Amino acid sequence: VEVGARERLIEYLAHMHPADVADLLEQIEEPRRVRLVELWGPDLNGDVLTELEEGVRDTVLATLTPKQLSEAVQELDTDDVVYLVEDLDEPQQEAVLDALDDADRVAVEQSLTYPEYTAGRLMQREMVTAPVHWTVGDVIDYMRASDDLPEQFYDIIIVDPAMHPVGEVRLGKVMAHPRSVKLDTLMEQDFRTIPVDQRQEDVAYAFNQYHMIQAPVVNADGRLVGIVTIDDAMDVLEDEAEEDMKLLAGVGDEEISDSTMAIVQRRFPWLLVNLITAIIASIVISLFSSTIEAIVALAVLMPIVASMGGNAATQTLTVAVRALATRDLTGSNAMRIVRRELVAGTINGAAFAVIMAVVGIIWFGNPMLGVVLAIAMVGNLAVAGLAGILVPIGLDRAGADPALASGTFVTTVTDVVGFLLFLGLASALLL
Amino acid sequence: VEVGARERLIEYLAHMHPADVADLLEQIEEPRRVRLVELWGPDLNGDVLTELEEGVRDTVLATLTPKQLSEAVQELDTDDVVYLVEDLDEPQQEAVLDALDDADRVAVEQSLTYPEYTAGRLMQREMVTAPVHWTVGDVIDYMRASDDLPEQFYDIIIVDPAMHPVGEVRLGKVMAHPRSVKLDTLMEQDFRTIPVDQRQEDVAYAFNQYHMIQAPVVNADGRLVGIVTIDDAMDVLEDEAEEDMKLLAGVGDEEISDSTMAIVQRRFPWLLVNLITAIIASIVISLFSSTIEAIVALAVLMPIVASMGGNAATQTLTVAVRALATRDLTGSNAMRIVRRELVAGTINGAAFAVIMAVVGIIWFGNPMLGVVLAIAMVGNLAVAGLAGILVPIGLDRAGADPALASGTFVTTVTDVVGFLLFLGLASALLL
């Protein structure tokens, strides 16, 4: 970014989609990022802020003057403002809220009273409602007269006088009927409402499962308080899948734009947990030191048994975590899936037992070593199947995220069982 | 499912959303699934078929009579029919196509001429277009006169006489303006079109990045051939995230509803690859047999070095694969990220080197063993950071899926390097 090129820069950025501008800001390094924002500040589009990753957003917000910030947020829908301010410090939050007009401010403050990660935080207040006695013509007249229609809405929500939603009409349907038709003859009555305190992953699940585009959000009294639109649900859905993937691998909510020291700090605790579990496995090995001293081939072969178990467990685990997230693994099929994993692990274990026995015999010319390898392989792959399915189900039942640290926990099980079986059998049969 | 209870069953299923019926079918066992479909067959809702996982869908399709199948598909949008028939055998495909009316059949056959996993397969033909000279009133009159409007559409596509899309108008915007207003004054001109041969993950990326709800699909001449709607894009987005997660863990496109033998077969090849890499690591260990024979503590400690390396590599790898999928890791920041991973790996390596040195000294009372452990740990975690980022970037540049088998490949690197460093140093310094 050359100094003096402000005009050209603004021209260029103005033609980019806010999401692409956000990506650009994320990809450049911090000093250049700050300079870009300083140059561009007065013309910054509020939508760019909502597209930024948290770490980068903090830098950008800190760079903007209060005036620039307030101008940027005025254009946003209330759900985007909520998303933006929920992670801010008190004084910055106050500055943003002050920039809003009164109605929006009340709406945002109201949303912030709902717990984080619930429908109340996702929803927007901008929506179109109509009383049940209106006709198509009434809606059209109302929309033509209104100068503040929401940017995004796909259904008109039909409400009773107490603001309870009683139906929904697709815009396309309203337009396809004559002015005299009453809305209640067009409306869908079995629509889904979302409780304002519903967890966001449940909201996203409903959108995905039922192919919803928009859904009314109701409070504890069943009164309409906002709508959730599919773009917000899509974001949540993607975040949840990403979160599972990262939890499985033992990385927290790290972003590619994080600094070196940030990722060092984020990864250290997970590696520490892994170190502890690795030491546990080592203690198991140390119990058999004299056996290994006598037959050094055991030291050569033992990582194979452990590695195969860890791999098989990770396979099962990943499928299970995913199936729990998509609600395809439930109480009604859990027992069957557990049985299936145990059987599948045993069958693959048997196949690799044969292969490994042959490898052991050829490599070390010791048939009994082949037998030990084979038994350890079957046993560890069966255990891998069981651990891979029981650990995530157990965590889920306990109310924890099934992906949380299951990888480390499950591979500890297969390491310990693998070393114990292989070295234990070797001590019994080969010495 | 009790025999004779057909009426109650149909009553019950009729009140369920097709997606929930599909989940039910997926969760029960095969014999009961077949019986349920046989009972319910004549009233089966076509939408249920599109919601089923592939394996289960095959069973259900095989159970339906040709007449039941054709009745079920008649109600579907063309994109859903394409999704349904693309995996069918020739005779079954023919049976479904015969059930469609001529226009739909042509549309489906046309879609099938586009390569799999492209926009051409995702798009629906049902859409609403308007010539550029129309007014709001013209559109409303057209929609009121039409008896075959698509179930899902959110924008009206403005086309020139040669069917090139020239703009888009949101339905809400049309309704908010008087009849006399011309559409070309309302339309958005910088909308995104999707080439019909664009890969589906690029389509999904665009929907997610630009918060699109609907997008026109154009052929090589720029003519409008269909639209993609957000629900299809959302499905693709979720599939892609799931695919990455499974590839990383070494499981193919396995579903939780697969049979035991199906998962045994799907997992075997991945486990075989892992076995081969594990044997490579073992060969490295065997090079140092005499060293291990002399100092058995090495056999006890060596899995720790390998495990820490594997874990650190998996962390880096997962973040990299995800960032590549979301296009947050690109040519412009790749070098910086590689440097960051190398530095972060080295720093965490140093931290764990200190910890491990202390553990080694306390456990085995051998300061030199502590030094060996420490150096091996720093080296392996630095290599882990490098391998974790370079392998997925390399695969991506080579046009392969960055998640494909990277897990196995990267942990092989860290195993080999870990054993080599640790045992090699031990041979040099401790013997």
Side-chain angles (χ1 to χ4, degrees):
Chain A
V1 186
E2 292 154 37
V3 181
R6 183 166 186 275
E7 300 304 313
R8 279 220 321 279
L9 174 75
I10 288 171
E11 171 80 6
Y12 179 68
L13 291 177
H15 282 94
M16 281 172 76
H17 189 282
D20 290 331
V21 178
D23 281 352
L24 175 72
L25 283 170
E26 283 165 9
Q27 289 189 11
I28 59 182
E29 277 177 280
E30 177 119 2
R32 302 180 66 198
R33 189 182 296 151
V34 170
R35 255 172 58 211
L36 186 78
V37 173
E38 280 169 352
L39 273 172
W40 189 39
D43 297 277
L44 187 126
N45 181 333
D47 285 320
V48 172
L49 297 175
T50 64
E51 303 281 351
L52 288 170
E53 281 163 15
E54 206 177 318
V56 177
R57 199 168 63 218
D58 289 344
T59 323
V60 173
L61 287 176
T63 309
L64 291 174
T65 65
K67 183 161 167 296
Q68 288 167 352
L69 182 57
S70 68
E71 273 168 17
V73 298
Q74 271 163 14
E75 295 293 299
L76 296 176
D77 277 344
T78 54
D79 57 336
D80 291 329
V81 178
V82 170
Y83 176 75
L84 203 62
V85 301
E86 61 187 0
D87 298 320
L88 293 182
D89 307 332
E90 197 68 40
Q92 264 191 315
Q93 200 175 80
E94 205 48 47
V96 173
L97 290 177
D98 283 341
L100 301 173
D101 64 42
D102 285 349
D104 282 353
R105 188 191 168 117
V106 169
V108 171
E109 285 178 337
Q110 179 70 41
S111 276
L112 289 172
T113 64
Y114 299 111
E116 252 191 301
Y117 312 117
T118 63
R121 294 286 183 106
L122 279 185
M123 71 185 182
Q124 61 182 52
R125 298 304 180 109
E126 293 83 0
M127 55 188 166
V128 175
T129 59
V132 73
H133 59 81
W134 272 17
T135 62
V136 168
D138 292 333
V139 176
I140 293 179
D141 292 341
Y142 166 77
M143 287 181 62
R144 285 185 183 154
S146 169
D147 60 353
D148 191 26
L149 287 177
E151 224 179 288
Q152 278 204 56
F153 73 107
Y154 314 99
D155 298 329
I156 291 167
I157 306 161
I158 314 297
V159 290
D160 70 12
M163 278 300 274
H164 300 115
V166 294
E168 277 183 343
V169 193
R170 285 263 152 109
L171 285 182
K173 220 163 175 184
V174 175
M175 287 184 62
H177 288 85
R179 292 183 68 92
S180 60
V181 171
K182 285 195 69 179
L183 291 183
D184 59 3
T185 63
L186 299 180
M187 75 186 183
E188 307 261 345
Q189 271 169 305
D190 62 338
F191 61 102
R192 277 159 215 281
T193 58
I194 295 179
V196 72
D197 56 358
Q198 189 168 67
R199 289 185 312 161
Q200 64 174 14
E201 60 259 47
D202 296 329
V203 176
Y205 171 79
F207 269 81
N208 194 32
Q209 173 83 347
Y210 305 117
H211 306 290
M212 288 151 55
I213 296 293
Q214 171 190 320
V217 179
V218 295
N219 66 13
D221 305 329
R223 287 201 169 84
L224 183 69
V225 290
I227 58 169
V228 174
T229 53
I230 190 170
D231 55 325
D232 300 314
M234 200 165 173
D235 283 345
V236 172
L237 200 72
E238 221 194 340
D239 286 350
E240 296 288 329
E242 182 165 326
E243 192 184 293
D244 279 352
M245 195 166 158
K246 289 184 175 169
L247 280 180
L248 271 177
V251 259
D253 53 352
E254 175 181 323
E255 299 291 349
I256 199 84
S257 55
D258 283 348
S259 71
T260 307
M261 279 322 291
I263 67 168
V264 166
Q265 284 168 26
R266 280 179 202 268
R267 292 182 192 174
F268 182 87
W270 297 85
L271 288 170
L272 189 62
V273 171
N274 185 64
L275 178 65
I276 294 165
T277 67
I279 290 177
I280 294 172
S282 288
I283 293 174
V284 172
I285 299 173
S286 72
L287 300 176
F288 301 95
S289 292
S290 56
T291 315
I292 294 173
E293 227 159 3
I295 313 165
V296 78
L298 297 178
V300 174
L301 294 171
M302 68 184 187
I304 298 181
V305 177
S307 158
M308 290 298 284
N311 231 273
T314 305
Q315 290 180 328
T316 302
L317 181 64
T318 303
V319 174
V321 164
R322 190 64 202 147
L324 283 167
T326 58
R327 323 269 163 109
D328 291 320
L329 176 53
T330 62
S332 64
N333 62 353
M335 264 315 296
R336 193 153 44 83
I337 303 290
V338 170
R339 216 163 45 230
R340 183 190 71 166
E341 291 297 339
L342 178 61
V343 175
T346 310
I347 296 175
N348 263 331
F352 284 103
V354 174
I355 298 173
M356 276 315 293
V358 173
V359 170
I361 294 166
I362 295 175
W363 195 352
F364 294 96
N366 184 342
M368 211 52 200
L369 181 63
V371 172
V372 169
L373 259 178
I375 301 176
M377 190 67 90
V378 179
N380 206 22
L381 261 65
V383 167
L386 268 189
I389 186 81
L390 290 179
V391 168
I393 289 181
L395 283 169
D396 189 52
R397 296 254 164 110
D401 191 317
L404 182 66
S406 355
T408 306
F409 191 72
V410 165
T411 49
T412 308
V413 171
T414 54
D415 277 357
V416 167
V417 170
F419 292 138
L420 208 55
L421 266 178
F422 180 60
L423 298 174
L425 281 168
S427 300
L429 299 177
L430 298 178
L431 283 186
Chain B
V1 187
E2 292 153 38
V3 182
R6 182 165 186 275
E7 299 304 312
R8 282 219 320 279
L9 173 75
I10 289 172
E11 170 79 6
Y12 179 68
L13 291 176
H15 282 94
M16 282 172 73
H17 189 282
D20 290 331
V21 179
D23 282 351
L24 174 71
L25 283 169
E26 284 166 7
Q27 289 190 11
I28 59 181
E29 278 176 278
E30 177 119 0
R32 300 180 69 197
R33 188 183 296 151
V34 170
R35 255 171 59 211
L36 186 80
V37 174
E38 281 170 352
L39 273 173
W40 188 39
D43 297 276
L44 188 128
N45 181 333
D47 284 320
V48 172
L49 296 175
T50 62
E51 302 282 351
L52 288 170
E53 282 163 13
E54 205 177 319
V56 177
R57 198 168 63 219
D58 288 344
T59 323
V60 172
L61 287 175
T63 310
L64 291 174
T65 64
K67 184 161 167 292
Q68 287 167 353
L69 182 57
S70 69
E71 274 169 18
V73 298
Q74 271 165 14
E75 295 294 297
L76 296 176
D77 276 345
T78 54
D79 58 336
D80 292 329
V81 179
V82 169
Y83 176 74
L84 203 61
V85 303
E86 62 186 1
D87 298 319
L88 293 183
D89 307 332
E90 197 68 42
Q92 264 192 315
Q93 199 175 81
E94 204 48 47
V96 173
L97 290 177
D98 283 341
L100 301 173
D101 64 39
D102 286 349
D104 282 354
R105 187 189 169 118
V106 170
V108 170
E109 285 178 338
Q110 179 69 43
S111 276
L112 288 172
T113 63
Y114 300 111
E116 253 191 301
Y117 313 116
T118 62
R121 295 287 182 105
L122 278 186
M123 71 185 181
Q124 62 181 51
R125 298 304 181 110
E126 293 84 358
M127 54 187 167
V128 175
T129 59
V132 73
H133 59 81
W134 273 17
T135 61
V136 168
D138 292 332
V139 176
I140 292 179
D141 292 341
Y142 166 78
M143 286 182 62
R144 286 186 184 154
S146 169
D147 60 354
D148 191 27
L149 287 177
E151 224 180 288
Q152 279 204 57
F153 73 107
Y154 314 100
D155 298 329
I156 291 167
I157 306 161
I158 313 298
V159 290
D160 71 11
M163 278 300 274
H164 299 116
V166 293
E168 276 183 343
V169 193
R170 285 265 152 109
L171 285 183
K173 219 164 175 183
V174 176
M175 286 183 63
H177 288 85
R179 291 184 67 93
S180 59
V181 172
K182 284 196 69 180
L183 291 183
D184 60 3
T185 62
L186 299 180
M187 75 185 184
E188 307 263 343
Q189 270 168 307
D190 63 338
F191 61 101
R192 276 158 216 280
T193 58
I194 296 180
V196 71
D197 56 357
Q198 189 168 66
R199 289 184 313 159
Q200 63 173 15
E201 60 260 46
D202 296 330
V203 176
Y205 171 78
F207 269 81
N208 193 33
Q209 174 84 346
Y210 304 118
H211 306 290
M212 289 151 54
I213 296 293
Q214 171 191 321
V217 180
V218 295
N219 65 13
D221 305 328
R223 287 203 168 84
L224 183 68
V225 290
I227 58 169
V228 174
T229 52
I230 190 171
D231 56 325
D232 300 315
M234 199 165 172
D235 282 346
V236 172
L237 199 72
E238 221 195 340
D239 286 351
E240 296 289 330
E242 181 166 326
E243 192 184 294
D244 280 351
M245 195 167 158
K246 289 183 175 170
L247 280 179
L248 271 176
V251 259
D253 53 353
E254 176 181 324
E255 299 291 348
I256 197 83
S257 56
D258 283 349
S259 71
T260 307
M261 280 320 292
I263 66 169
V264 166
Q265 285 168 25
R266 280 180 203 269
R267 292 184 192 172
F268 183 87
W270 298 86
L271 288 171
L272 189 63
V273 171
N274 185 63
L275 178 65
I276 294 166
T277 66
I279 290 177
I280 295 172
S282 287
I283 293 173
V284 172
I285 299 174
S286 72
L287 301 176
F288 301 95
S289 292
S290 56
T291 315
I292 295 173
E293 228 158 3
I295 312 165
V296 78
L298 298 178
V300 173
L301 293 171
M302 69 184 184
I304 297 181
V305 177
S307 160
M308 290 298 284
N311 232 272
T314 305
Q315 290 179 328
T316 301
L317 181 63
T318 302
V319 175
V321 164
R322 191 64 201 147
L324 284 166
T326 57
R327 323 269 163 107
D328 290 321
L329 176 53
T330 63
S332 65
N333 62 352
M335 264 317 294
R336 193 153 44 84
I337 303 290
V338 170
R339 215 162 47 229
R340 183 190 70 165
E341 290 297 339
L342 178 60
V343 175
T346 310
I347 296 175
N348 263 331
F352 285 102
V354 173
I355 298 173
M356 276 315 293
V358 173
V359 169
I361 293 167
I362 295 175
W363 195 351
F364 293 95
N366 183 342
M368 210 53 199
L369 182 62
V371 172
V372 169
L373 259 178
I375 300 176
M377 189 67 88
V378 179
N380 206 22
L381 260 64
V383 168
L386 268 189
I389 187 81
L390 290 179
V391 168
I393 289 181
L395 283 169
D396 189 52
R397 296 255 163 107
D401 190 317
L404 182 67
S406 352
T408 306
F409 192 71
V410 165
T411 50
T412 306
V413 172
T414 53
D415 276 357
V416 167
V417 170
F419 291 138
L420 209 56
L421 266 178
F422 180 60
L423 298 174
L425 281 168
S427 301
L429 300 177
L430 297 178
L431 282 187

